[in-house]
Amino acid sequence: DASSADIRKAYRKLSLTLHPDKNKDENAETQFRQLVAIYEVLKDDERRQRYDDILINGLPDWRQPVFYYRRVRKMSNAELALLLFIILTVGHYAVVWSIYLEKQLDELLSRKKREKKKKTGSKSVDISKLGASEKNERELMKPQWHDLLPCKLGIWFCLTLKALPHLLQDAGQFYAKYKETRLKEKEDALTRAEYETLQKQKKVKVKKPKPEFPVYMPLESAYIQSYDHGTSIEEIEEQMDDWLENRNRTQKKQV
């Protein structure tokens, strides 16, 4: 029922007396650590309430999950690994048994259905189906000790060791093929580069002449005959034809 101020005062007094520098007892360090731990519990309201609850109700028993949590926290890594391995083994064996029982139940139900069909005689049962069902019943085996997880792991490890030389050989062959493909790719790239350089050297760049478009220049010496308005259309067409022929000749001579 003490207040936080009273607890603080008591802690200061006891720390002066129980400090290892002033306390000459052999267990001075442990006493001082216990004092600090007690103060850490009592100064916090939540921890203090938990402590009071433990004083009234006691420590948690095996029926509470806190009990197992505290036990697991104290275990080392090797102990935790062993516990996990045991749990996985038991779980795997339980799963194997559940699969076996489920198959057995299915076989029992199918057998009862077949017996009912035989008694009623409403539908004819196929001989092939009966043979397959009998074969499944024979193949259905109870789980054995070699179905446990450690045995399965051991068998898998032995098989991997046996197959390891073949795996290494296959890996070596794959690596050799990979090297060959890489070398071929490099050689192809070099040959392509050489071929491209040779083609570039063979090709000589020739500057193409720019196209010169003809420019119309009026002829100073060209004389266009005037025609009278009273002339006919045929005479005008003949004069135009003569003029066009003369212009074309002069242009060809200039070119």
Side-chain angles (χ1 to χ4, degrees):
D1 298 328
S3 63
S4 59
D6 295 335
I7 291 166
R8 201 179 297 111
K9 287 178 184 178
Y11 170 69
R12 285 175 182 173
K13 287 180 182 179
L14 287 170
S15 63
L16 290 171
T17 56
L18 294 176
H19 198 273
D21 294 338
K22 294 183 179 180
N23 189 9
K24 294 182 180 180
D25 196 0
E26 293 178 355
N27 297 324
E29 290 184 2
T30 56
Q31 289 175 5
F32 188 73
R33 286 178 184 174
Q34 287 175 0
L35 175 65
V36 172
I38 291 163
Y39 178 67
E40 289 291 330
V41 171
L42 295 177
K43 75 175 182 179
D44 193 0
D45 293 333
E46 291 183 2
R47 290 181 179 180
R48 193 172 181 180
Q49 191 175 358
R50 288 179 197 168
Y51 182 74
D52 293 336
D53 189 20
I54 288 167
L55 285 176
I56 295 164
N57 299 319
L59 290 167
D61 56 356
W62 62 273
R63 289 171 291 184
Q64 295 177 357
V66 181
F67 176 79
Y68 299 101
Y69 175 71
R70 288 179 177 175
R71 289 292 179 90
V72 169
R73 278 185 67 184
K74 292 178 182 178
M75 288 183 178
S76 62
N77 293 328
E79 290 173 349
L80 284 170
L82 182 62
L83 180 64
L84 184 65
F85 186 74
I86 290 166
I87 291 166
L88 289 173
T89 304
V90 173
H92 178 260
Y93 197 61
V95 168
V96 171
W97 265 101
S98 65
I99 292 166
Y100 167 73
L101 293 172
E102 187 179 0
K103 286 181 180 178
Q104 201 171 18
L105 184 64
D106 292 338
E107 289 291 331
L108 185 64
L109 293 171
S110 63
R111 197 185 300 162
K112 284 184 179 180
K113 285 181 181 178
R114 276 188 259 114
E115 287 177 358
K116 283 182 181 179
K117 284 180 181 179
K118 281 182 181 179
K119 285 179 182 179
T120 54
S122 58
K123 292 181 181 179
S124 61
V125 183
D126 294 335
I127 297 167
S128 61
K129 289 182 180 179
L130 287 170
S133 63
E134 287 176 359
K135 190 177 180 181
N136 289 328
E137 286 178 3
R138 287 173 188 171
E139 287 178 355
L140 197 62
M141 301 279 293
K142 284 185 179 179
Q144 302 294 329
W145 61 270
H146 54 78
D147 293 326
L148 289 168
L149 185 63
C151 298
K152 291 280 185 185
L153 289 173
I155 292 164
W156 175 77
F157 185 70
C158 291
L159 290 173
T160 49
L161 284 176
K162 284 182 180 179
L164 192 62
H166 297 289
L167 291 171
L168 291 172
Q169 190 176 0
D170 294 337
Q173 290 176 359
F174 178 77
Y175 184 68
K177 286 179 181 178
Y178 176 73
K179 269 190 171 182
E180 287 178 0
T181 52
R182 288 298 298 269
L183 287 170
K184 283 181 181 178
E185 287 176 358
K186 285 182 180 179
E187 288 175 358
D188 294 336
L190 288 169
T191 51
R192 285 176 188 171
E194 289 176 358
Y195 181 70
E196 287 176 358
T197 52
L198 287 171
Q199 279 187 345
K200 285 178 181 179
Q201 288 175 1
K202 284 179 182 179
K203 287 180 180 179
V204 180
K205 290 183 179 180
V206 179
K207 290 184 179 180
K208 293 181 180 179
K210 292 181 180 180
E212 294 180 356
F213 296 100
V215 181
Y216 175 72
M217 297 293 288
L219 296 171
E220 294 177 355
S221 63
Y223 173 71
I224 299 167
Q225 294 178 357
S226 62
Y227 59 91
D228 192 5
H229 291 285
T231 55
S232 64
I233 295 168
E234 294 175 354
E235 292 175 354
I236 293 166
E237 287 178 352
E238 288 177 359
Q239 290 178 5
M240 288 295 294
D241 290 335
D242 294 334
W243 177 77
L244 288 169
E245 285 178 3
N246 291 325
R247 193 189 70 170
N248 291 328
R249 285 172 188 171
T250 53
Q251 285 180 358
K252 284 179 182 178
K253 285 178 182 179
Q254 286 177 359
V255 172

